[in-house]
Amino acid sequence: MTRLFKSIAALLVFASLCGPAQAEQVSFVLRFAGIKLGTLSYVDQVGPSSYAAGLRFRTGGLTGLISSVTFEARSQGRPLAGGNLAPTKYREESLRDGEREITEIMWRGKTPDIAVETPPQPDRLDPRQAVGSVDLMTGMHLLLRTIAPEDACKLDATTYDGKRLMRLTLSDATEDRSGRVSCTGKFSRLKGVAPEGLFDTMFAKFEVTYRTLADGRVRADRMVLKTPLGRAVLASE
C-alpha cells in the first residue's frame, strides 16, 4: 500500500501544478462467486486545461487459483472540445509471478511513440498504426470518471498500450425502477498479435451500472465482467 500511496501522491502533485482541478479517488473489489480476487484503486485529477489519472490493480493472492498480478498505470494530457481527451504521456508497470514489464508512451499530437519498453517486446504494435488513439489509462479514465448523467453509456474510444489497439465502447442504456442507469460494454481488439492483456481479458464483455452522486453527476459503481472463468463482479467499496 505504501507504493500505491506514493503513486497517488505523485499523480496529485503533478496535477496540482496544472491549475485548479477536482480530485476523485475510488476503490473497487473484484469478486468471483463471492470470493475476493483482487482490488482496483482509481484516482484522477481534472482541471480546465489538463487531466491526470492513475490506477492500480492487484490480485488477492489466492494461491493456486489465480496468478499473482500487480498492474499500475498513469496518464496525463489535456481535454479537447466535445469531451474528448488528448494524452501526452502514459506509463504502465506490471508484475506477474515475479516478471516485471514497463512501458512508457509519449504522444506528439495524435502520434504515439514508445519511449521505454523493458524488456523489449518482439510483439509490439507499430505506433504508426495507432495514430489518433488514446492510451489504456485514458480509456479507463473515460470509463471510470465522474460525468453528467446525460453522458452515461456514451463511450467510444480507441486505446493503445504498445502491443494492442483496442476499441472500448458503451451502449444500450437502460434504467431500472430506482432510476439507476446500466449499459453494455465491450473491449475488443482491432490490431496486435500479443497475448491477451489483463484489461482486454477482464473487460472483453461487461455490464456497467452507474451511481448518482450528491451533486447530480454519475459514476460507474458496479461492473459485471464476463471473464473466461465466468461472471465476476467489480464493485466500489
Side-chain angles (χ1 to χ4, degrees):
M1 290 301 293
T2 300
R3 186 174 182 180
L4 171 60
F5 292 145
K6 288 181 178 179
S7 297
I8 292 173
L11 174 66
L12 296 181
V13 167
F14 162 78
S16 67
L17 298 176
C18 301
Q22 294 181 335
E24 299 271 356
Q25 183 175 343
V26 188
S27 295
F28 297 86
V29 174
L30 177 66
R31 289 185 171 88
F32 178 80
I35 301 173
K36 182 178 178 179
L37 296 185
T39 57
L40 187 151
S41 299
Y42 164 78
V43 61
D44 71 29
Q45 189 143 350
V46 179
S49 60
S50 66
Y51 73 91
L55 65 77
R56 184 177 195 258
F57 176 80
R58 185 175 183 180
T59 56
L62 295 176
T63 304
L65 181 60
I66 56 175
S67 299
S68 175
V69 176
T70 300
F71 178 87
E72 297 183 9
R74 299 193 300 272
S75 63
Q76 60 195 58
R78 56 187 176 84
L80 301 174
N84 295 321
L85 300 175
T88 55
K89 184 178 181 180
Y90 168 72
R91 175 184 170 89
E92 70 170 45
E93 182 173 346
S94 63
L95 181 64
R96 181 188 297 270
D97 296 331
E99 296 185 3
R100 187 180 304 276
E101 292 185 6
I102 300 173
T103 301
E104 287 189 9
I105 303 175
M106 307 295 292
W107 262 258
R108 294 172 175 82
K110 295 184 177 182
T111 304
D113 179 51
I114 298 176
V116 177
E117 190 178 62
T118 305
Q121 300 296 314
D123 49 8
R124 68 150 59 177
L125 178 66
D126 190 329
R128 291 174 294 183
Q129 297 190 53
V131 174
S133 63
V134 300
D135 61 85
L136 174 62
M137 183 63 242
T138 295
M140 297 303 296
H141 170 58
L142 290 168
L143 175 63
L144 299 175
R145 66 179 178 174
T146 299
I147 56 176
E150 60 269 23
D151 293 329
C153 300
K154 297 178 181 178
L155 176 58
D156 190 344
T158 302
T159 71
Y160 175 64
D161 66 356
K163 294 181 179 180
R164 294 162 288 267
L165 193 67
M166 309 287 296
R167 185 183 182 190
L168 175 60
T169 61
L170 294 178
S171 60
D172 303 326
T174 60
E175 186 174 327
D176 64 17
R177 293 181 179 179
S178 66
R180 288 171 64 90
V181 176
S182 299
C183 50
T184 300
K186 293 182 180 180
F187 205 25
S188 53
R189 186 181 306 216
L190 301 177
K191 296 179 182 179
V193 297
E196 288 188 342
L198 175 67
F199 284 92
D200 50 315
T201 300
M202 286 176 58
F203 293 93
K205 294 181 180 179
F206 62 98
E207 298 172 0
V208 58
T209 301
Y210 291 88
R211 172 188 176 188
T212 301
L213 305 179
D215 62 2
R217 296 183 299 164
V218 298
R219 183 178 64 209
D221 182 63
R222 184 177 186 271
M223 283 169 268
V224 178
L225 312 173
K226 301 176 182 179
T227 73
L229 297 177
R231 291 162 64 92
V233 176
L234 185 67
S236 63
E237 294 184 308

